[in-house]
Amino acid sequence: VSICKQEMLQKKNAVLVDGVILNGPITDSKAGEKFVEEACKIIMEEVIRKADDVTEKVCEWRAPETLKQILDLEMRDTGESHQKLLQLCQDVIQYSVKTSHPRFFNQLYAGIDYYSLVARFITEALNPSVYTYEVSPVFLLVEEAVIKKMIEFIGWEEGDGIFNPGGSVSNMYAMNLARYKFCPEIKEKGLSGLPRLVLFTSEECHYSMKKAASFLGIGTENVYFIKTDERGKMIPEELEKQVQRARKEGSAPFLVCATAGTTVLGAFDPLDKIADICEKHGLWLHVDASWGGSALISRKHCKLLHGIHRADSVAWNPHKMLLAGIQCCALLVKDNSGLLKKCYSAKAAYLFQQDKFYDVSYDTGDKSIQCSRRPDAFKFWLMWKALGTAGLEERVNRALALARYLVEEIKKREGFQLLLEPEYANVCFWYIPPSLRKMEDGPEFWQKLHQVAPVIKERMMKKGSMMLGYQPHQGKVNFFRQVVISPQVSREDMDFLLDEIELLAKDL
């Protein structure tokens, strides 16, 4: 036994088991508290205070091999000093993309909400898991209150719901729930003996639909993709044709997945007409409103989702347009008879005892396919409490007004060409450099234009001036997709975006 252990045994009359001293904690709380305090200072100075500073870089680009060396990723037998760890924290922040920067336009999330951020600090410190009231009383009540409010905005009189780790998971939940409603015996008997199940969604749907069909054993060949119009909206007449085709083939249609706010074009499917077809054929209607759902908060723009109250389920991600922080994603279900729980419950006796001393209806964890689950509703709740519905509505209205401003500026500038007039916050456009402007429209022109966006993207990232996404789409060559979300974004940032593209591409 070492001298240190001998001293501890003498001092505390300690118990030794298998060479391990069991008396007292082994962590140095004071040192730990000091480390947290110092790390929080770094977070405050390097992340929060710089969040809206346009003079800072959006990203500090380094190639993967270079970044590996800078970060010293090796984990060793002995721990590092707190000073070294604090430097690592600095490095992580320096070389990470600043998604709260006003000129980060790359994804369907951006910006910083300070109330949501504090909520995340609280939940990280408390480290709860939301499955039973006994271990997570506050957060279960919060989730219940938030789901109830979201259901009101959809237009349902009642309903159910659960927060999930991502809109993709919400879509998978909905697909499985629709299948369970169609054939409840699948939960116990599995896929054998079932007819060929078929679902329908638009060509512009999120790729999670294919992943969900694959994951659930439905099969990607049984996802019928419905044609869209020039704006990216599902064509109801094509849906009707495909449903009839599936029936003639002897398949069993069970689900239609409409989209409210497609990922690239920001298109909203005509929900009322799609709902008519679903009612006619007895199909479950799920609306993936992960991106567009937040327009429901706006009295001016909620018409984009007209007819959503007729859906059987809705996916809605407040971490996108409303800035609730990743991840904050709800699946909302019109059914209030316990369908979610019937579909997913496993009745684990060690968690969901029915003879507890309180109302066990608050033990909602059995509605989830997860066991441990984060309290994601809390950050949305605290933000909503801080801003009120009016503040959230202002966020949506301002983002769409800025998108409108950008569209009008694009129309004024030589070399910029819109793909289409947007109806949401997705502004899709090409930039045509001076060298291509007099070129005849044809295959060679489009081939050359296809190469422009990737070069501009590389230059902006290596400069760190902004981040803007691009993609080819439905036969169209690479174009930029500008997404306006953050309340930190200003008109000046819209002007900068166009100026910067011209600057970066002047020699192309």
Side-chain angles (χ1 to χ4, degrees):
V1 182
S2 68
I3 295 170
C4 181
K5 281 186 179 179
Q6 286 177 345
E7 286 177 355
M8 288 183 72
L9 284 168
Q10 290 167 1
K11 281 182 181 178
K12 295 189 176 182
N13 197 21
V15 175
L16 193 68
V17 176
D18 293 336
V20 178
I21 297 168
L22 302 183
N23 291 48
I26 62 165
T27 56
D28 183 344
S29 298
K30 293 297 179 187
E33 289 166 13
K34 181 69 174 172
F35 178 72
V36 171
E37 192 177 327
E38 293 297 320
C40 283
K41 286 178 185 175
I42 293 172
I43 294 168
M44 193 70 205
E45 291 299 321
E46 299 300 321
V47 180
I48 298 171
R49 288 213 169 103
K50 293 180 179 180
D52 60 354
D53 186 350
V54 294
T55 65
E56 292 287 328
K57 287 187 176 184
V58 178
C59 59
E60 189 77 51
W61 170 260
R62 293 291 185 277
E65 292 306 316
T66 305
L67 192 55
K68 285 178 186 177
Q69 293 177 2
I70 292 171
L71 294 177
D72 184 23
L73 297 170
E74 181 68 28
M75 290 154 285
R76 301 177 177 85
D77 290 341
T78 56
E80 310 278 5
S81 69
H82 278 188
Q83 203 53 46
K84 175 73 184 295
L85 294 175
L86 290 170
Q87 182 58 52
L88 284 172
C89 291
Q90 291 263 22
D91 292 341
V92 166
I93 292 168
Q94 181 179 349
Y95 296 106
S96 290
V97 173
K98 311 306 185 294
T99 63
S100 55
H101 194 289
R103 292 170 184 171
F104 174 81
F105 307 118
N106 210 65
Q107 312 298 147
L108 299 184
Y109 66 90
I112 184 171
D113 178 85
Y114 301 103
Y115 307 104
S116 166
L117 184 60
V118 168
R120 282 181 276 169
F121 288 161
I122 291 170
T123 55
E124 290 300 320
L126 289 172
N127 197 32
S129 182
V130 186
Y131 35 54
T132 63
Y133 184 82
E134 65 183 282
V135 298
S136 196
V138 173
F139 299 120
L140 275 168
L141 295 180
V142 164
E143 183 173 74
E144 179 186 61
V146 172
I147 285 171
K148 183 180 178 184
K149 196 72 174 175
M150 294 175 82
I151 282 169
E152 285 178 20
F153 276 93
I154 290 172
W156 297 335
E157 292 182 4
E158 58 181 11
D160 198 359
I162 194 163
F163 274 75
N164 300 307
S168 295
V169 174
S170 293
N171 288 335
M172 185 186 74
Y173 265 73
M175 193 178 292
N176 193 47
L177 195 62
R179 183 174 65 174
Y180 175 77
K181 181 74 184 293
F182 184 76
C183 44
E185 65 275 10
I186 192 172
K187 182 177 178 180
E188 294 179 354
K189 298 186 184 300
L191 296 169
S192 59
L194 283 181
R196 179 182 172 227
L197 296 176
V198 167
L199 65 103
F200 309 88
T201 189
S202 89
E203 293 175 330
E204 296 279 339
C205 74
H206 191 258
Y207 66 85
S208 60
M209 296 301 176
K210 283 180 76 171
K211 288 198 170 192
S214 171
F215 186 81
L216 294 170
I218 292 166
T220 56
E221 289 184 2
N222 297 319
V223 181
Y224 285 26
F225 293 100
I226 309 303
K227 290 179 183 176
T228 56
D229 63 17
E230 69 283 353
R231 297 192 59 80
K233 299 169 180 286
M234 187 193 293
I235 302 171
E237 294 77 14
E238 293 294 324
L239 173 61
E240 176 67 39
K241 285 181 193 174
Q242 293 300 322
V243 173
Q244 291 183 11
R245 172 194 151 199
R247 286 251 159 88
K248 285 177 185 174
E249 290 172 348
S251 301
F254 74 103
L255 168 66
V256 174
C257 296
T259 310
T262 59
T263 305
V264 178
L265 301 180
F268 288 73
D269 288 340
L271 301 180
D272 247 344
K273 291 181 179 178
I274 293 169
D276 288 342
I277 295 168
C278 290
E279 284 183 12
K280 175 182 173 183
H281 294 283
L283 304 175
W284 183 285
L285 174 57
H286 171 64
V287 178
D288 177 10
S290 296
W291 172 221
S294 296
L296 289 168
I297 299 285
S298 166
R299 286 165 292 182
K300 183 176 183 179
H301 298 291
C302 63
K303 60 181 182 288
L304 290 168
L305 298 103
H306 180 71
I308 196 169
H309 65 283
R310 299 175 67 187
D312 296 290
S313 57
V314 174
W316 177 359
N317 293 5
H319 77 231
K320 296 183 185 290
M321 178 62 79
L322 297 178
L323 279 82
I326 291 176
Q327 295 167 322
C328 189
C329 314
L331 173 70
L332 306 161
V333 182
K334 184 186 286 184
D335 175 273
N336 200 31
S337 69
L339 188 68
L340 255 179
K341 190 170 183 179
K342 290 171 193 171
C343 179
Y344 290 110
S345 69
K347 299 176 181 175
Y350 75 95
L351 272 180
F352 304 110
Q353 305 93 329
Q354 297 304 295
D355 55 358
K356 292 180 179 179
F357 64 93
Y358 59 85
D359 181 356
V360 295
S361 68
Y362 285 99
D363 290 355
T364 57
D366 223 9
K367 294 192 292 189
S368 170
I369 59 170
Q370 298 171 254
C371 180
S372 299
R373 193 164 62 89
R374 296 172 63 87
D376 289 328
F378 178 62
K379 51 197 167 190
F380 188 28
W381 176 82
L382 191 62
M383 182 179 74
W384 203 331
K385 293 284 280 184
L387 300 177
T389 303
L392 297 179
E393 180 181 28
E394 183 185 12
R395 257 181 202 181
V396 176
N397 291 345
R398 189 173 186 278
L400 296 188
L402 276 169
R404 191 73 250 153
Y405 171 82
L406 181 63
V407 167
E408 296 307 314
E409 289 301 303
I410 284 172
K411 289 176 182 177
K412 296 175 189 174
R413 296 209 186 197
E414 188 181 3
F416 289 87
Q417 183 179 325
L418 284 170
L419 263 76
L420 74 169
E421 287 281 341
E423 59 179 344
Y424 201 45
N426 308 49
V427 181
C428 299
F429 63 92
W430 286 290
Y431 177 69
I432 304 165
S435 64
L436 298 181
R437 287 176 198 167
K438 292 181 181 178
M439 194 172 178
E440 188 178 330
D441 189 344
E444 188 183 355
F445 168 79
W446 291 107
Q447 184 184 356
K448 284 181 179 294
L449 185 59
H450 185 65
Q451 300 170 43
V452 170
V455 176
I456 296 174
K457 178 66 179 279
E458 179 184 356
R459 290 178 177 183
M460 73 174 70
M461 288 199 66
K462 287 182 175 177
K463 184 178 177 183
S465 57
M466 63 181 185
M467 280 185 67
L468 178 65
Y470 75 87
Q471 62 282 300
H473 187 70
Q474 302 289 22
K476 294 181 173 66
V477 302
N478 283 326
F479 58 88
F480 289 111
R481 180 200 65 172
Q482 153 71 346
V483 182
V484 185
I485 299 173
S486 169
Q488 281 87 24
V489 173
S490 66
R491 175 191 63 78
E492 289 83 358
D493 295 314
M494 299 294 95
D495 295 338
F496 174 85
L497 180 141
L498 301 180
D499 292 340
E500 185 71 358
I501 288 174
E502 288 181 325
L503 180 67
L504 294 171
K506 63 184 178 182
D507 63 333
L508 293 182

